[in-house]
Amino acid sequence: MMRLSLRFIIPLALALGGIAYGVVPLVDELTLKWFVHDLDIRAKLVATAAQEPLVEMLTDKSRDKVRLEHIQAYFDRMLQDERLYAIGFCDNAGKLVYKTATLPAGIGCGYPGPGVEDRGIVVKLHGGPLHVVTTPILENGSRLGDMIIVHDMSFVERRSADTRKYIVYLFAALGGLIALITVVIAELSFRGWMAGIKTLIRGQSLALSPQPKARELRPIARDLEALVHDLDNERRARDEAQITWTPDALRTILREDLKGDEILIVSNREPYIHERREGRIEVRRPASGLVTALEPVMRACSGTWIAHGSGNADRDVVDASDSVAVPPEKPAYRIRRVWLTKEEEAGYYYGFANEGIWPLCHIAHTRPVFRASDWECYREVNRRFARAVESESRTDDPIVLVQDYHFALLPRMIRERLPRATIITFWHIPWPNPEAFGVCPWRDELLEGLLGSSILGFHTQFHCNNFFDTVDRYLEARVDRETFTISYGGEPTEVHRYPISIEWPPTALAQQAPVAECRERVRREFGIPPETRLGVGVDRLDYTKGILERFAAVERLLERDPEWVGRFSFIQVAAPSRSSIEEYQLLDARVRSAAQRINQRFGTPSCQPIVLAIEHYDGAQVYELYRAADLCFVSSLHDGMNLVAKEFVAARDDERGALILSQFTGAARELPEALIVNPYDTEECAEALRQALAMPPDEQRSRMRRMRSLVQEFNVYRWAGRMLLDAARVRQRRHLSRRAGTAGAPRIIGLRRA
Ligand code: F6P
């Protein structure tokens, strides 16, 4: 700054000083004219004042000598005026008859010449300028002679020199001042630019950071921001596409991009449940897409998975810190179990999460139930998990992967305890529009809680957009849809789409027999004749899955195309779920009775149209079913993603089979080669069943091939890897900001009614 200022101020001051020198002669000339004019007037005054006494003395009849003395004395008195330099008098013959001793020799009668009487001229004699005026002395109109009045002009020179000096000083000072002001203004706007550019280089949204101070910078900043964002996305897509997504790729990201940083996962459902059966402890894997997706990440990073210990033998196998190493056959990470009482589980899990948020977020026309007591439990349990996260983290900036709607309040609670943590929350279910979400009495608290996350993920862009709209509607937050960021009370939250998927190749596929064998075995097991065409559905027994709609489509097919009666059977596996909730009990009853009714209507001694298995199937059993089937029917009324669709595709390495897929699943956006249906439209679904059963092998193959390649490419490692890469980016940016000293400690806001 100093150097810059000197480089600028000094030349400008000099330049102005130079200009001043150019101006001075003009000023000199002008002031000289004014002074000469002044002296002309003054000389006239002197002449007028001297006129009368002088005439009197000149016409005195005394002797010449006396007259001479009088006039001489009079002239000498006049010279007491310090400006008057000399006086003389010439008679009409042009002879200098009287003069003061100071009159220079060069000035005499006839000077300065005819025509310039009464007008002074300037002469330079004896080194100093003199102003000389010759004016006639008249008596009654007749001329007695001429009086020469000489003024000293050396004061003019002195004044001129002073003026010249002050003008130069003034210009130089002015130059310095202008330069200084310019440098200060330039410096301030330079800083604004630099701050703006630094912000952009860090990849932050300018909309989030303080606005560039210079108004004129804002449009440029916006363009730059959009450019950086596009480049970022492009780079992200390119990097992502170049990676072969395997557990090894995840390990590499964890090692290289995250430098082995600590990872914690929080979910309600635990990946391994210990249960006591007939005196023995068994380990069960729950029917959960979430668990399937995250287990490989945990295996790769050896972190800690914090979950509700729900198995009846869970307490028997944990150590003093409530932890157990898993997988049992080859331990790779720890589960830290959090214990809940029956009442807490009822209020938090069954109540607020599954009777409140679940129907709130799924448009399946089941009314959500909100009870204040459930909300209290939900808050308390979220707090309990926040404490567990704090006590489990070995560092003050772990990466915490918060899973699902059971923990909407948890991100902000973690942020309050571990302000430097990178919190990635994934919402595994749909996010509805603002009107639908707005009926929740605690909607603002849920939104505030989620906005404690560094990154918030949904399966589809549609759900991200609904979330943006909801925040926009209900909170005073800055929603930037261009950079997918929401700023609310502290660290910004990025909202992105991360479509979940399955592992590739699926572990369950490795143990599978060839397709022909699976077909034969499944038919045998279910008592279905070998030639019968087979459809499958595999779900949790949940009203969002559209199981009744699926049965209605099977019924309609048999009604419409009786040729399929006795030749087509549909196996529905429905894992019991949330069975202490009344809606689920009702659904159980309805599903059983619908299956019974259809079977009574269209069953034959050897073939039941609906084979209902309300029980838990493990991965190997489910994959065998997929391989045995001619079609798989996913008819969810609303589903974040639906992994059954992807599993069916993954199971069919023979490239055969047809997938019927509800348009209301996230998967439908990724698998357009499926037969896409509206599950509410029974006719359309029946037609899709018919089309699937009649689909030629070539068409099956080409559709299946494309779907398989998509699932292979966008597998679960990519889902997790993209989130981890984004976490690495967020952390890197924060480290850089800290180093640049621009990152303030995140402002923590308290939950309103927490
Ligand atoms: O679909 C949301 C989800 O949390 C899934 O991730 C999981 O498969 C399912 O619900 C499990 O539900 P629950 O834990 O209630 O049995």
Side-chain angles (χ1 to χ4, degrees):
M1 163 76 179
M2 193 62 199
R3 277 220 318 262
L4 178 76
S5 310
L6 288 177
R7 274 195 212 145
F8 186 63
I9 292 172
I10 292 171
L12 189 65
L14 288 176
L16 282 174
I19 291 171
Y21 267 101
V23 167
V24 162
L26 280 176
V27 176
D28 262 2
E29 201 183 311
L30 209 65
T31 47
L32 185 67
K33 267 191 189 156
W34 288 338
F35 284 126
V36 168
H37 184 64
D38 276 0
L39 289 175
D40 285 351
I41 295 169
R42 198 168 195 279
K44 212 172 199 165
L45 274 174
V46 170
T48 311
Q51 176 84 17
E52 210 180 300
L54 198 56
V55 168
E56 211 173 280
M57 282 182 262
L58 287 171
T59 53
D60 187 359
K61 300 295 174 215
S62 341
R63 280 177 304 154
D64 282 355
K65 183 154 187 290
V66 176
R67 192 187 318 138
L68 178 69
E69 278 168 10
H70 278 189
I71 292 176
Q72 196 63 53
Y74 179 60
F75 279 1
D76 288 343
R77 268 204 314 281
M78 283 177 77
L79 280 198
Q80 281 170 7
D81 179 332
E82 64 172 304
R83 293 275 158 82
L84 271 178
Y85 183 75
I87 300 177
F89 182 81
C90 300
D91 62 14
N92 283 333
K95 182 174 170 216
L96 183 64
V97 284
Y98 308 108
K99 68 171 180 99
T100 58
T102 50
L103 188 72
I107 298 176
C109 301
Y111 190 90
V116 287
E117 293 98 346
D118 290 346
R119 270 201 8 240
I121 59 152
V122 179
V123 288
K124 285 222 168 193
L125 287 172
H126 309 299
L130 297 172
H131 175 266
V132 183
V133 166
T134 301
T135 180
I137 301 295
L138 305 172
E139 189 204 15
N140 300 327
S142 66
R143 189 181 191 132
L144 298 180
D146 293 313
M147 185 175 178
I148 303 167
I149 303 168
V150 181
H151 272 100
D152 180 7
M153 282 187 76
S154 60
F155 77 97
V156 175
E157 260 202 345
R158 279 199 308 278
R159 281 193 187 171
S160 219
D162 284 352
T163 312
R164 204 177 304 131
K165 195 168 71 196
Y166 291 130
I167 284 177
V168 172
Y169 288 167
L170 179 76
F171 269 75
L174 213 61
L177 190 70
I178 292 170
L180 197 69
I181 291 170
T182 314
V183 166
V184 169
I185 291 170
E187 172 67 16
L188 287 180
S189 64
F190 180 70
R191 279 190 196 171
W193 274 83
M194 288 314 287
I197 286 164
K198 270 188 203 158
T199 311
L200 284 166
I201 288 170
R202 280 198 302 276
Q204 274 174 357
S205 163
L206 283 173
L208 296 179
S209 55
Q211 282 281 318
K213 287 189 188 80
R215 190 180 292 274
E216 72 277 9
L217 276 180
R218 288 184 191 158
I220 302 172
R222 269 197 296 278
D223 288 352
L224 271 174
E225 189 180 337
L227 187 70
V228 168
H229 188 69
D230 288 352
L231 287 174
D232 207 24
N233 279 349
E234 224 173 81
R235 183 191 50 75
R236 208 170 108 166
R238 202 180 44 239
D239 290 355
E240 236 185 87
Q242 278 168 4
I243 297 174
T244 307
W245 291 97
T246 61
D248 265 348
L250 281 187
R251 269 189 282 273
T252 308
I253 291 174
L254 291 165
R255 194 179 55 243
E256 290 177 5
D257 295 79
L258 288 167
K259 314 271 182 290
D261 288 344
E262 184 184 11
I263 297 198
L264 301 164
I265 290 181
V266 187
S267 72
N268 171 68
R269 190 63 66 201
E270 50 185 345
Y272 293 90
I273 304 175
H274 288 85
E275 273 170 351
R276 191 174 295 278
R277 275 199 203 124
E278 295 158 8
R280 275 193 16 220
I281 292 179
E282 287 177 6
V283 183
R284 183 167 69 80
R285 303 286 309 274
S288 160
L290 175 161
V291 167
T292 319
L294 287 170
E295 157 89 345
V297 179
M298 270 289 119
R299 285 181 193 241
C301 74
S302 309
T304 303
W305 190 318
I306 302 170
H308 168 211
S310 59
N312 62 14
D314 274 357
R315 286 178 195 262
D316 301 337
V317 296
V318 294
D319 60 18
S321 56
D322 295 329
S323 300
V324 60
V326 287
E329 63 285 1
K330 194 178 172 209
Y333 65 94
R334 280 187 334 128
I335 300 179
R336 154 76 197 275
R337 286 177 169 148
V338 174
W339 313 115
L340 302 180
T341 63
K342 282 282 157 236
E343 294 70 39
E344 282 169 338
E345 194 180 358
Y348 139 82
Y349 172 76
Y350 290 108
F352 196 76
N354 284 315
E355 284 190 272
I357 302 182
W358 179 270
L360 178 75
C361 290
H362 287 91
I363 303 166
H365 308 285
T366 298
R367 287 170 68 128
V369 179
F370 295 111
R371 301 179 198 94
S373 54
D374 291 347
W375 166 246
E376 283 307 319
C377 271
Y378 185 82
R379 258 190 340 184
E380 180 43 41
V381 171
N382 271 246
R383 227 176 265 136
R384 179 102 41 94
F385 274 82
R387 284 199 291 271
V389 170
E390 191 181 15
S391 74
E392 284 303 319
S393 58
R394 286 174 280 107
T395 56
D396 69 344
D397 65 344
I399 296 166
V400 189
L401 305 174
V402 177
Q403 303 303 310
D404 232 347
Y405 60 98
H406 310 93
F407 296 115
L409 304 181
L410 186 58
R412 188 159 299 283
M413 290 174 171
I414 297 173
R415 171 78 55 231
E416 284 165 1
R417 289 171 160 80
L418 298 166
R420 298 186 56 204
T422 305
I423 304 166
I424 307 180
T425 304
F426 193 80
W427 194 260
H428 288 258
I429 62 176
W431 190 276
N433 63 46
E435 285 74 24
F437 187 78
V439 303
C440 174
W442 297 283
R443 65 182 184 209
D444 293 1
E445 286 82 346
L446 295 178
L447 294 173
E448 284 174 354
L450 285 169
L451 291 175
S453 315
S454 318
I455 297 174
L456 174 60
F458 295 95
H459 292 300
T460 69
Q461 192 55 47
F462 186 69
H463 298 150
C464 295
N465 294 347
N466 278 347
F467 185 77
F468 284 131
D469 291 345
T470 310
V471 172
D472 228 0
R473 175 80 61 90
Y474 299 118
L475 294 186
E476 290 282 330
R478 183 127 60 93
V479 177
D480 188 335
R481 289 160 203 262
E482 222 167 281
T483 56
F484 308 115
T485 315
I486 298 176
S487 296
Y488 182 76
E491 185 157 312
T493 303
E494 291 188 17
V495 179
H496 293 299
R497 174 182 86 96
Y498 302 99
I500 203 169
S501 194
I502 57 169
E503 54 174 344
W504 191 280
T507 311
L509 189 62
Q511 312 133 21
Q512 291 299 315
V515 165
E517 208 176 299
C518 293
R519 290 176 72 90
E520 197 252 303
R521 278 224 307 248
V522 165
R523 282 169 177 73
R524 194 162 8 97
E525 192 187 323
F526 286 93
I528 298 169
E531 296 314 313
T532 309
R533 308 293 295 279
L534 200 62
V536 288
V538 179
D539 306 85
R540 276 182 313 101
L541 188 50
D542 194 294
Y543 52 81
T544 61
K545 300 296 178 184
I547 297 172
L548 289 171
E549 285 72 7
R550 201 174 301 167
F551 287 180
V554 171
E555 187 175 20
R556 182 70 190 120
L557 171 79
L558 300 178
E559 240 171 37
R560 217 177 63 171
D561 296 331
E563 60 179 284
W564 288 110
V565 176
R567 293 179 53 225
F568 173 67
S569 199
F570 191 87
I571 299 178
Q572 175 65 51
V573 173
S577 177
R578 306 167 192 173
S579 29
S580 56
I581 297 174
E582 200 188 346
E583 272 302 325
Y584 286 78
Q585 293 161 5
L586 286 174
L587 178 75
D588 182 302
R590 282 193 197 119
V591 165
R592 286 178 198 271
S593 107
Q596 207 177 8
R597 188 178 51 73
I598 297 167
N599 284 344
Q600 274 169 4
R601 200 174 159 200
F602 294 107
T604 65
S606 60
C607 176
Q608 297 289 294
I610 306 273
V611 178
L612 184 58
I614 299 192
E615 58 189 291
H616 182 83
Y617 268 44
D618 67 24
Q621 290 173 301
V622 170
Y623 269 72
E624 186 176 57
L625 264 184
Y626 291 144
R627 289 164 73 77
D630 295 284
L631 65 91
C632 174
F633 194 174
V634 174
S635 54
S636 304
L637 304 181
H638 203 189
D639 218 329
M641 175 53 70
N642 192 288
L643 292 182
V644 168
K646 293 187 175 178
E647 282 173 358
F648 175 66
V649 164
R652 300 312 299 256
D653 51 5
D654 62 336
E655 297 180 342
R656 295 292 295 274
L659 173 65
I660 304 172
L661 181 57
S662 159
Q663 66 186 86
F664 304 122
T665 59
R669 285 153 214 260
E670 292 185 80
L671 302 172
E673 294 82 10
L675 300 174
I676 305 291
V677 294
N678 172 357
Y680 291 93
D681 186 340
T682 310
E683 293 298 324
E684 187 186 55
C685 291
E687 173 57 25
L689 280 170
R690 195 198 57 72
Q691 206 183 320
L693 289 169
M695 191 182 284
D698 277 355
E699 186 178 341
Q700 289 177 32
R701 191 167 296 119
S702 70
R703 285 176 186 258
M704 193 53 90
R705 196 172 280 172
R706 265 180 281 168
M707 291 193 284
R708 282 174 62 79
S709 96
L710 182 124
V711 177
Q712 175 176 16
E713 201 183 327
F714 291 85
N715 59 31
V716 73
Y717 308 116
R718 188 167 188 163
W719 172 77
R722 275 187 52 195
M723 277 192 279
L724 294 176
L725 280 176
D726 284 349
R729 180 175 47 78
V730 165
R731 286 165 84 80
Q732 205 180 5
R733 187 185 293 169
R734 220 187 37 213
H735 287 316
L736 283 175
S737 310
R738 285 234 165 79
R739 237 185 285 156
T742 52
R747 187 161 63 84
I748 305 298
I749 62 162
L751 286 170
R752 257 194 257 158
R753 283 187 254 166

